[in-house]
Amino acid sequence: MTSDVPFTKHRSGLDRTRQIAPQIVEYLREKILELDLAPGTSLSRLQLQKQFGLSQTPVRDALMRLEEEGLVTVYPQYATLVSKIDINLARQSHFLRRAVEQEIVYELATKPDRRFVDRLVSANATLKTLVSSSEYGNFLRHDGAFHYILYEEAGLQDVWPVVRRHSGHIDRLRRLNLPNVGKARVVDNHDAIIEGIAAGDPARAEQAMKIHLSGTLSMVDSIVERYPDFVQLD
């Protein structure tokens, strides 16, 4: 087990006009998905309370929410740990996301809109500027922004947080695999999706999305071999 992580975000980063617990959830989720908080890391409730100047309740509520998402495991009276990446749950969330996003791009390609295509092109152009960077967190956040545009254009923006809540395990696998796959391939896959939509070719757009989302699980054996301490196989 790793030691408690010295959180660096200052308490002033919290917006006191909004509910506090969801902000802690977002902060910790981001750190977990980007592997700044690696599987097995111990999370100290007391340290979180001190870091953010909070009482016990919002911290407890935030950790309960993350436990529901499968991102932390709470051992009562013992410890709260960042959960290992569950390969079975990763496969299930991959199935969900493929089903939703392949259908989205298929439908959007039946009625291509230039304004929408331009939004996708612009979002992917931002990703292209990040390809040469050695930093991955910002790239993944902008990748998420690209996919959110698809949900928004399809009128399914309320589905996005549902999918996201179930994607923690597959998202962490993607983060582990990204240095191997390379950012440029992600950008190229996005280009193929955009081209299918712009051409008004639903089957082409759907296939491009299938290829894009299937890369990580196709390499799961290699990921497990490289990061055995990070994963849970059963």
Side-chain angles (χ1 to χ4, degrees):
M1 182 191 310
T2 60
S3 61
D4 292 342
V5 171
F7 295 99
T8 57
K9 185 173 180 179
H10 192 269
R11 69 187 63 178
S12 63
L14 295 175
D15 182 351
R16 300 288 172 166
T17 67
R18 296 167 49 215
Q19 288 188 327
I20 298 299
Q23 296 180 68
I24 302 299
V25 170
E26 284 296 315
Y27 171 69
L28 290 176
R29 182 195 289 120
E30 181 178 298
K31 293 296 184 183
I32 292 170
L33 296 185
E34 294 179 10
L35 302 179
D36 291 334
L37 294 176
T41 299
S42 177
L43 302 177
S44 167
R45 294 192 183 194
L46 181 59
Q47 186 180 3
L48 282 169
Q49 289 171 224
K50 290 180 177 179
Q51 174 66 31
F52 294 106
L54 300 174
S55 66
Q56 179 181 352
T57 300
V59 171
R60 181 199 62 208
D61 291 348
L63 293 175
M64 287 177 60
R65 169 75 175 275
L66 291 169
E67 184 179 30
E68 290 172 358
E69 295 184 20
L71 294 179
V72 304
T73 303
V74 177
Y75 298 94
Q77 310 304 318
Y78 171 57
T80 297
L81 306 180
V82 176
S83 66
K84 289 193 173 184
I85 300 170
D86 188 314
I87 301 300
N88 181 50
L89 291 177
R91 294 186 189 279
Q92 292 184 52
S93 57
H94 170 257
F95 181 88
L96 171 64
R97 187 163 178 182
R98 258 187 52 181
V100 173
E101 296 193 19
Q102 285 179 215
E103 180 66 20
I104 285 176
V105 296
Y106 187 97
E107 290 297 322
L108 292 175
T110 64
K111 46 183 185 304
D113 176 85
R114 188 69 247 174
R115 175 197 54 80
F116 163 56
V117 171
D118 287 344
R119 286 186 70 196
L120 291 178
V121 170
S122 177
N124 209 34
T126 299
L127 280 165
K128 289 177 184 178
T129 68
L130 302 173
V131 165
S132 60
S133 169
S134 60
E135 198 272 334
Y136 290 94
N138 197 32
F139 182 87
L140 288 171
R141 285 190 291 274
H142 283 282
D143 175 66
F146 175 91
H147 285 265
Y148 177 73
I149 292 171
L150 297 170
Y151 285 76
E152 188 175 47
E153 188 66 22
L156 297 173
Q157 56 267 41
D158 290 339
V159 176
W160 171 257
V162 176
V163 172
R164 189 180 179 217
R165 282 197 299 272
H166 288 84
S167 296
H169 295 279
I170 190 66
D171 284 347
R172 287 189 289 169
L173 277 182
R174 289 184 65 229
R175 171 61 185 87
L176 286 174
N177 198 43
L178 186 55
N180 183 58
V181 170
K183 299 174 188 175
R185 185 181 299 182
V186 174
V187 171
D188 289 344
N189 286 346
H190 286 178
D191 278 336
I193 294 167
I194 295 169
E195 290 165 5
I197 294 173
D201 189 334
R204 180 179 170 187
E206 182 182 34
Q207 180 63 16
M209 180 61 79
K210 180 179 180 179
I211 292 171
H212 176 47
L213 295 180
S214 297
T216 296
L217 281 184
S218 70
M219 303 181 69
V220 70
D221 290 341
S222 173
I223 299 171
V224 171
E225 183 177 350
R226 284 183 285 129
Y227 303 97
D229 295 337
F230 281 9
V231 301
Q232 175 183 323
L233 296 175
D234 49 27

